[in-house]
Amino acid sequence: LPAGEGANALHAGSFVWADLSAGDFSSTSDNQFLIQSVGNVGINTNTPTSALHVNGPIATHVATIAGSATLTAANSVALVSSTPATITIPAASTCPGRQITVKKIDGGPGAVTVLSAGGTIDGAIIFSLSASNKYVTVVSDGANWFVIANN
């Protein structure tokens, strides 16, 4: 809220938080957004069963990258369109639980080398994508990256 305005002030496009100690808080009567007093958050559901429960599709950031690049916390999917290239993913310690997918989308002979800024990738220093349409999805455990999907 703008400086000097009370907690009950409501502005177009704003969202006012409630005291969760009194119970569940919902943004509308049909609970497009729900915070349960136990801490679960539901989007388009009245009965969230996880810390975050989304009843509907989600979107993630997709970037097409020509050549080498260093990914940031804003990146989720990197489509590499010009190789050879090195894609450096963040240090695993900076983003526990985060998943990142890197895919080689060009048809050239150059490889995409995935390198971690900190921690290993399944115990290795690098992960290589040598052919067109190869990808790897990794997840951080807070110390290292682990491959959870690839082709």
Side-chain angles (χ1 to χ4, degrees), residues 90-107:
S93 62
T94 65
C95 46
R98 177 168 303 260
Q99 291 184 28
I100 296 174
T101 299
V102 178
K103 182 172 183 172
K104 173 182 164 62
I105 63 171
D106 80 340

Side-chain angles (χ1 to χ4, degrees), residues 37 59 67 74 79 116 128 143-144:
S37 58
L79 305 175
S116 172
S128 184
N144 293 293

